[in-house]
Structures are given as C-alpha cells and as structure tokens.
C-alpha cells in the first residue's frame, strides 16, 4: 500500500470525469428506493454501497434509550394508493414514494373527499411539485401530491390504502473505518434516511462512498471513519453508543447537499477556529471558485448533534447551496436533473484536498536555526529536486521562496498549513519543498527531537 501523496492527488484530478460519472450512477441506482429513518430501504441502500466499500451494517433495537431519545419502531412500506370516485388510481406509491407521508401508519378504507383533504399535503406556491413530508414521532398518515392535482379532485368517495407496518424492529446504520498509522481520526458523516431525493442527500452518500473507495487503497497517517446514518436519531444513537471513543475525533465533515450547481458553502464548527475550519477555508481560497463561509448555527444537519455543547466536536459541513436555501429542497424537484455531475466532481476534489491537508499537515523544526543555512553550498534549489527544468518561472520562484518560508517558520510553532497561509504559497508546494528539506536533514520531525 502506498502513501497518500501529491501525485495521487493529481491523478484524481485527471480521472475526475470518470469519478463524477460513477457517483452520479450510484445516485441513480439509490434514487428509486423508499428510505426512512428505519426499515428495509436503509438496508437495501447499504447493500448497494457495500458493492463499493465493505461497510459494516449495524442494528440498534427499537426502544433503546439514546440520551433523551428512544430508538423508534421500525417502519416499512409495501404499497399505497388513492382510487377516485371514477375508479381511477390517481396516486400510486410505486410511481413516486414521495406520495406517502414518510412513517405513515397503515390504513385502508373508503373516505369522503372533505376528510381525505385533511391528510393531503401540497405546496401551493409550487403547484406542480410533490412535497416530502415526514411524521416520525407522531403516529399519523397522509398523502402528498401536486397542488394542481389537489385542485382537480372530484367530490365523492375515495378508496385509500397505505400498506405499511410500524413494529418493534431496529434502526439500521452503516459504518466504515479506514485504519491509519494512528487511532486519531477524521469523521465523515452523511444521512441515508431520505426517500427519492438527490441533492439532499444521496449526493452526500455517493460522495462518502467514493471518498472511502479511493482512500482505502492508500496508506494514511490518520484513521478515517465514514458514517451512513439516519439523520438526527442516527447521529444521536451513534454518539450514545460510541461516547467513549469520541475523544479520538480530531476533525470531521458532514456531507449534505453537495451536488447542486450552486457555489460551495462551508458551515464552520461550533468552535469556529479548529483545524478543519482552517483547512476548509484554505482549500476554498485556493479553489478559484466562488464560495461562502458561514459561522455555525444550531439547526441544519447532524452537526447539530456532533456540535452540541456536551460534545462540541470539531466538525463542520462543506456543502453547496445549503438546505432550505434552494426551491427544490424537500420536494420532487430535487431529482436526478437537479444535481450536476460537474458539481459532484468539484465537491469530491475539495473534500479530498481537505483530507489530504489534514493527513499531511505537521510541524517541523529547522535543524540549523542560527542564521540561514548556506543553501548555495548544498546546491539547494537545483540539486535536491525542489525545482525542475520543466517548471515555468513563476513556479520556480514559488518553490525557491517556499524554502525560505519553511526554514524560517519551522520553529516548532507553525505547521505546514500555517506556513502556506502566511506565505501565500500553496500547501502542495510547501509540502513538496518540506519533504526535500527533510531528506537533506535541514528539517526534523518535532516528535523525533
Ligand atoms: Zn432533508
């Protein structure tokens, strides 16, 4: 197994079109499945992910107490429909699983239109769109349809059926760990509880699957843990079961809404200036793409649990257009056409770069700190491979300047990322130059002193 290196990173850039196509194909395969916070839809989805990475499927029984919450009964659905007074099937779960309120209890009866309307959800401002509605903790039932369809419903008696079950069972989640040289870890989390919705959040599922698939073949310093959990209750459950391990988490990202064509948005950790905050800011700054960075706020996705005051983990969220900020959020507009392969690819590159910096960043000590070492004597530029003849003048200058920055700032206080930030020279150039200086005994690892 080989080390994660700059050249691997470049190879990824060259293959990004294939990777983004494959991510899109995985989303297309997962899209038709009706998922929820529990049930066979989650298991089926994890089985598909298992074709790519050897994910561990975990089951937590209904009724398990997890902090202030309780793992709910397991919900499964087999069919649902509405037949109108003319005998026509006007709603069919098999055509879109969004037609049924997620976690609806079973029901089969004849019902008058006035009564049925109390259980129908629409979005009047987007009359062609079917909303996504859930009722996890309130035993109820309902249907979702376009507002236009609601307006066309005939008076009379309707036959309705929701063939579902809500019984003691379990909550299912997936976990995958890539063990590095050390146990300290980076946590990557996404949720697998939404039915046919793409950006929120099959995009996150595909992103983490492909990051794991790529990273598992490389030797890394840190360990990387990937979670595929139902949102909120899954994060609470995982934290409750793993409370004794969380001190190993040194950084993390929640992957949600990573496939739309909007700009990247980074939501900082609750801490606000942790290592991952610095890394993501750096990656976005050097990405040459428009982006925004926002402070932590206590609503959104699973960062709400990871960053609750009792944990306060250094976990942020790198997304594109945030949840609730796009019209297609939680409705049938969030389909395969809404996500873009190029956006998935761009997000993949940014995440990988964050992981690369996290794994490679370290502090060195200059072995010759009293005045500058005499570089000419060592033929430092040309002979040790910091600069090469195929580089342009700018690149050569950056690499030469990198040497001065690294030697001066390697006093045990500044990490390579901090040197990159202070010098304005890319992390990639700084790491390459530091490696050459280390090989020439001009730098020492801090822990080897
Ligand atoms: Zn959502």
């Amino acid at each position: 197994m080989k080390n994660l290196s700059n050249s691997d990173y470049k190879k990824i850039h060259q293959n990004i079109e294939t990777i983004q196509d494959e991510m899109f194909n995985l989303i297309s395969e997962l899209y038709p499945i009706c998922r929820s916070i529990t049930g066979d839809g989650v298991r089926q989805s994890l089985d598909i992910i298992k074709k790519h990475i050897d994910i561990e499927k975990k089951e937590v029984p209904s009724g398990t107490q997890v902090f202030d919450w309780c793992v709910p009964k397991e919900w499964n659905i087999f069919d649902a429909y509405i037949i109108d007074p003319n005998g026509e099937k006007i709603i069919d779960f098999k055509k879109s699983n969004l037609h049924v309120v997620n976690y609806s209890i079973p029901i089969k009866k004849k019902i008058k239109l006035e009564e049925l309307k109390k259980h129908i959800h629409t979005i009047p401002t987007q009359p062609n769109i079917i909303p996504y509605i859930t009722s996890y903790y309130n035993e109820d039932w309902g249907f979702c349809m376009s507002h236009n369809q609601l307006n066309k419903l005939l008076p009379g008696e309707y036959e309705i059926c929701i063939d579902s079950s809500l019984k003691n069972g379990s909550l299912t989640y997936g976990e995958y760990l890539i063990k590095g040289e050390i146990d300290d870890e980076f946590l990557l989390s996404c949720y697998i509880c939404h039915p046919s919705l793409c950006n929120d959040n099959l995009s996150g599922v595909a992103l983490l699957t492909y990051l794991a698939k790529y990273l598992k073949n490389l030797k890394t310093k840190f360990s990387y843990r990937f979670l595929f959990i139902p949102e909120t209750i899954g994060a609470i459950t995982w934290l409750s079961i793993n409370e004794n391990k969380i001190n190993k988490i040194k950084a993390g990202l929640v992957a949600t809404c990573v496939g739309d064509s909007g700009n990247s948005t980074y939501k900082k950790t609750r801490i606000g200036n942790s290592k991952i905050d610095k890394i993501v800011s750096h990656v976005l700054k050097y990405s040459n793409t428009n982006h925004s960075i926002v402070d932590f706020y206590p609503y959104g996705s699973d960062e709400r649990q990871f960053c609750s005051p009792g944990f306060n983990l250094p976990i942020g969220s790198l997304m594109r257009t945030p949840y609730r900020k796009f019209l297609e959020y939680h409705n049938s507009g969030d389909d395969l056409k809404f996500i873009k392969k190029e956006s998935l690819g761009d997000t993949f590159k940014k995440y990988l770069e964050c992981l690369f910096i996290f794994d490679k960043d370290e502090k060195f000590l200059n072995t010759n700190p009293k005045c500058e070492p005499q570089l000419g004597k060592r033929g430092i530029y040309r002979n040790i491979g910091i600069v090469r003849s195929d580089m342009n003048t700018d690149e050569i200058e950056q690499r030469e300047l990198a040497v001065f920055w690294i030697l001066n700032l390697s006093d045990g206080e500044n990490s390579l990322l901090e040197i990159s930030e202070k010098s304005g020279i890319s992390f990639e150039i700084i790491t390459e130059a530091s490696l050459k200086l280390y090989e020439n005994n001009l730098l020492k690892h801090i822990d080897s002193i």
Side-chain angles (χ1 to χ4, degrees), residues 132 191 194 200 231 329-330:
Y132 160 54
Y191 46 97
H194 287 35
D200 172 29
E231 199 174 21
Y329 174 75
H330 277 197

Side-chain angles (χ1 to χ4, degrees), residues 159-370:
E159 186 187 332
I160 61 160
C161 169
I162 297 177
D163 182 10
S164 64
S165 65
L166 187 61
K167 299 178 191 163
N168 278 332
S170 58
L171 174 152
T172 313
Y173 70 88
E175 189 162 2
Y176 182 66
L177 178 70
I178 298 173
K179 274 201 85 58
E181 279 167 42
I182 61 173
D183 288 339
D184 284 351
E185 60 186 56
F186 192 108
L187 185 79
L188 290 135
S189 179
C190 70
Y191 46 97
I192 39 146
C193 54
H194 287 35
S196 293
L197 295 166
C198 287
N199 197 36
D200 172 29
N201 186 241
L202 289 176
S203 63
V205 172
L207 175 72
L208 293 207
T209 304
Y210 272 83
L211 281 170
K213 198 174 173 173
Y214 176 70
L215 267 191
K216 73 183 165 68
N217 297 321
L218 296 171
K219 207 168 131 193
T220 55
K221 179 180 171 188
F222 289 92
S223 297
Y224 291 83
R225 189 179 298 277
F226 294 79
L227 297 182
F228 299 79
I229 50 181
E231 199 174 21
T232 307
I233 187 66
I236 293 168
T237 301
W238 189 86
L239 285 164
S240 170
I241 296 172
N242 296 285
E243 196 174 356
N244 59 344
K245 292 190 211 157
I246 65 127
N247 59 349
K248 291 191 183 127
I249 299 170
K250 301 301 170 199
L253 287 170
V254 171
T256 174
C257 304
V258 295
D260 65 278
S261 54
N263 297 329
S264 292
T265 304
Y266 176 59
K267 177 179 174 181
K268 286 186 191 175
T269 68
R270 183 175 178 272
I271 303 161
N273 63 348
S274 69
K275 181 139 190 166
I276 187 66
D277 297 309
K278 292 174 187 162
I279 292 174
V280 180
S281 304
H282 181 88
V283 168
L284 292 177
K285 190 165 99 183
Y286 279 87
S287 68
N288 290 324
T289 57
N290 290 326
H291 60 266
S292 51
I293 297 176
V294 295
D295 285 336
F296 175 81
Y297 46 88
Y299 53 91
S301 187
D302 285 332
E303 66 280 3
R304 283 155 44 195
Q305 316 311 330
F306 297 127
C307 300
S308 56
F311 290 111
N312 204 19
L313 291 171
I315 295 180
S317 184
L318 178 56
M319 37 195 163
R320 300 193 78 86
T321 309
Y323 27 77
R324 297 171 196 270
K325 294 274 169 70
F326 51 95
L327 263 185
E328 294 77 2
Y329 174 75
H330 277 197
N331 65 55
S332 56
D334 187 359
D335 60 7
L336 289 164
K337 289 195 285 300
F338 181 58
I339 50 166
K340 301 285 169 262
K341 290 180 181 177
E342 298 70 27
S343 303
L344 291 168
D346 180 66
T347 311
F348 181 90
K349 285 192 287 187
K350 287 170 176 160
Y351 264 74
L352 192 66
E353 200 170 342
C354 290
L355 302 187
F356 177 80
I357 294 177
F358 179 74
D359 215 73
K360 290 281 170 199
D361 191 30
E362 60 180 318
K363 287 177 181 170
F364 284 103
L365 206 60
N366 179 344
T367 56
N368 192 91
K370 290 183 177 162

Side-chain angles (χ1 to χ4, degrees), residues 87-144:
E88 208 179 313
K89 196 181 261 190
I90 53 154
I91 288 292
D92 187 353
F93 168 78
K94 293 193 174 101
K95 289 189 181 152
S96 168
N97 54 43
L98 296 179
H99 278 313
V100 177
V101 170
N102 204 286
Y103 249 70
S104 280
I105 53 172
I107 190 157
K108 188 169 174 31
K109 64 174 181 179
K110 295 208 164 145
I111 188 172
K112 290 262 182 265
L113 177 61
E114 292 66 40
E115 191 57 29
L116 174 60
K117 274 186 173 175
K118 293 179 191 161
H119 292 272
I120 291 178
H121 304 264
T122 67
I123 311 175
T125 52
Q126 294 186 81
N128 295 315
I129 289 295
I130 309 164
Y132 160 54
I133 307 284
T134 64
S135 185
Y136 300 140
Y137 300 102
N138 174 28
E139 290 194 5
D140 199 0
W141 62 272
F143 289 94
C144 302

